[in-house]
Amino acid sequence: MKPNKALLVIDMQKGSFTPKTPRFDTEGVVARINTLAALFRQKGWPVVLIQHDGTGTGEFKKNNWDWELLDELQTEPTDTLLDKYANDVFYRSKLQELLTTWETQELLITGCATDFCVEATVQSALAKDYNITVVADGHTTGDRPHLPAQKVIEHYNWVWQNMIPTKGNIRVEDFEKVIEKFKGT
């Protein structure tokens, strides 16, 4: 039986987590992602570790320090590594091809940054009719000029909870509820 769920871990890269770019609740978000990834691996569901490849932009050049995944992020050889080239993970990447091959219907979305790559990917996945669960405390961002990071996260969780669904649906659930739900699946 092919898995019908996949965990997307977006842009948990060293260059996004520096003293110049502090993120809200980094340790907690990484710990929750690690727990979710372990559960997905145990169930035989794909874990997709997505890295922004900014080759040509001067940042996040493939195989440079800033492009690398965080050391604290627990990875396994069975995980799928995927490069992305814009905020939306689906844009010019192999994500859609992989999800089709795996017959994926449901996406669990986590990562960085809430208001850029996570948001763009949620919107794109919804337009592609996936069932989406955003882990409310499984994504992060930094403070913005007019809004602290915690409020940005709170705002996007509210936006996603109130979106009009397509053929798929979208839920925003806390980590504990997600773990409880997926352990029983």
Side-chain angles (χ1 to χ4, degrees):
M1 179 173 88
K2 292 191 178 203
N4 66 355
K5 297 171 179 52
L7 172 64
L8 304 186
V9 180
I10 302 170
D11 293 353
M12 297 298 287
Q13 295 167 266
K14 292 177 181 177
S16 294
F17 294 83
T18 69
K20 290 182 180 180
T21 58
R23 304 298 174 172
F24 177 75
D25 189 26
T26 298
E27 288 181 24
V29 170
V30 170
R32 289 184 279 278
I33 290 171
N34 284 339
T35 301
L36 289 165
L39 177 62
F40 268 62
R41 291 179 196 113
Q42 178 186 24
K43 299 276 188 180
W45 299 331
V47 173
V48 185
L49 302 169
I50 299 153
Q51 293 167 272
H52 184 78
D53 180 349
T55 300
T57 67
E59 296 180 315
F60 296 94
K61 183 178 176 185
K62 193 172 176 106
N63 299 317
N64 277 2
W65 173 87
D66 56 352
W67 173 84
E68 294 174 1
L69 293 169
L70 293 173
D71 292 334
E72 301 82 6
L73 195 65
Q74 297 167 0
T75 63
E76 294 293 335
T78 55
D79 296 341
T80 299
L81 299 175
L82 183 71
D83 289 331
K84 73 173 190 59
Y85 307 96
N87 291 341
D88 175 6
V89 176
F90 288 92
Y91 179 78
R92 293 191 178 176
S93 78
K94 295 182 179 185
L95 181 59
Q96 185 62 48
E97 179 184 328
L98 289 168
L99 297 175
T100 299
T101 300
W102 295 330
E103 299 179 9
T104 305
Q105 298 167 356
E106 185 171 354
L107 301 176
L108 193 70
I109 299 179
T110 64
C112 182
T114 299
D115 45 340
F116 287 93
C117 300
V118 175
E119 157 65 2
T121 301
V122 167
Q123 294 275 357
S124 186
L126 189 62
K128 292 171 178 52
D129 297 326
Y130 285 101
N131 293 316
I132 302 163
T133 300
V134 178
V135 183
D137 47 358
H139 58 94
T140 188
T141 196
D143 290 341
R144 301 303 181 215
H146 306 289
L147 207 55
Q150 189 172 5
K151 287 295 182 185
V152 173
I153 293 165
E154 183 181 314
H155 172 76
Y156 278 95
N157 283 339
W158 177 86
V159 167
W160 297 325
Q161 287 172 331
N162 289 284
M163 292 185 75
I164 297 169
T166 58
K167 289 181 183 175
N169 60 55
I170 183 166
R171 290 182 307 280
V172 179
E173 298 176 343
D174 291 332
F175 167 78
E176 293 298 332
K177 186 173 182 180
V178 171
I179 284 292
E180 183 180 306
K181 179 175 100 177
F182 284 106
K183 277 187 176 179
T185 305

